Amino acid sequence: NAGVTQTPKFQVLKTGQSMTLQCAQDMNHNSMYWYRQDPGMGLRLIYYSASEGTTDKGEVPNGYNVSRLNKREFSLRLESAAPSQTSVYFCASLWTGGSGYTFGSGTRLTVV
Amino acid sequence: GDSVTQMEGPVTLSEEAFLTINCTYTATGYPSLFWYVQYPGEGLQLLLKATKADDKGSNKGFEATYRKETTSFHLEKGSVQVSDSAVYFCAHAHMDSNYQLIWGAGTKLIIKP
């Protein structure tokens, strides 16, 4: 099925551990985004990539790094997880022409 | 700065009631406007959108009109169903900001049979 695939769906980390959230899209979209969703708040942009080989910070980039490995894949890395990074993470890709987005199903991350 | 304000939830209605979820925004220029829906345990799905003033987006019986003069994009449905229970997010994006989505906090809708 065409769309955005995120892995894993769930993850529990201990404080200080590292991990990488994977995201891949098969729609040949140029722009991809990582958001986090916290209770009672809208999604907040962590990083985005307007095209292969470029990445830019969003609203809340601290504690994260990203890699746009190729046009399909955009990964998010937590180098040293903190409890404040407990959240649901969504990856999205932008439709050609900017008229909409497709979201992945999310990764629920808990840092203890 | 740019922002989106939605009515606070939860909004609880009986089946077949009329629904309005208010959304207002602040933005430079004329962004595209979106409503996304998140069903329990699922990701975000685009419900409808509008890209210019006076456009009406519609889908699954939901409608919203891009009102430039009031900077609003209120979501409406004439007769809600239990299956409409979800969290609804209003958002906008502009090409000048690389289409970064600016989100409202979400409104939880609960429909009782």
Side-chain angles (χ1 to χ4, degrees), chain A residues 64-85:
Chain A
Y64 304 95
N65 285 301
V66 289
S67 296
R68 185 71 183 270
L69 305 169
N70 47 54
K71 194 169 187 180
R72 289 187 65 248
E73 298 172 288
F74 187 40
S75 61
L76 178 72
R77 182 161 178 84
L78 286 72
E79 291 291 351
S80 179
S84 60
Q85 293 178 305

Side-chain angles (χ1 to χ4, degrees), chain A residues 33 35 37 40-45 48 50 57-59 90 94-95 97-106, chain B residues 32 34 36 38 41-46 49 51 87 89 92-94 97-106:
Chain A
Y33 306 77
Y35 291 90
Q37 183 182 30
M41 302 179 69
L43 279 71
R44 292 182 292 168
L45 181 65
Y48 68 98
K57 295 178 181 179
E59 181 185 355
F90 287 99
L94 179 68
W95 302 355
S99 62
Y101 304 78
T102 298
F103 282 83
S105 57
Chain B
S32 296
F34 304 88
Y36 277 86
Q38 186 175 32
E42 298 186 13
L44 293 141
Q45 302 175 25
L46 178 65
K49 63 180 173 140
T51 57
V87 181
F89 292 92
H92 71 67
H94 199 284
S97 61
N98 288 296
Y99 295 106
Q100 295 177 38
L101 281 161
I102 306 297
W103 297 83

Side-chain angles (χ1 to χ4, degrees), chain B residues 2-71:
Chain B
D2 292 359
S3 66
V4 174
T5 303
Q6 290 180 237
M7 62 190 293
E8 287 192 27
V11 173
T12 304
L13 296 172
S14 297
E15 206 165 21
E16 300 184 1
F18 184 87
L19 168 70
T20 300
I21 299 178
N22 290 336
C23 171
T24 58
Y25 66 91
T26 58
T28 53
Y30 303 107
S32 296
L33 303 176
F34 304 88
W35 277 101
Y36 277 86
V37 59
Q38 186 175 32
Y39 297 102
E42 298 186 13
L44 293 141
Q45 302 175 25
L46 178 65
L47 181 60
L48 53 83
K49 63 180 173 140
T51 57
K52 61 183 188 295
D54 300 325
D55 267 2
K56 177 184 283 188
S58 62
N59 186 26
K60 299 182 181 180
F62 291 90
E63 294 183 339
T65 301
Y66 192 142
R67 300 290 187 198
K68 184 179 67 174
E69 63 277 10
T70 55
T71 61

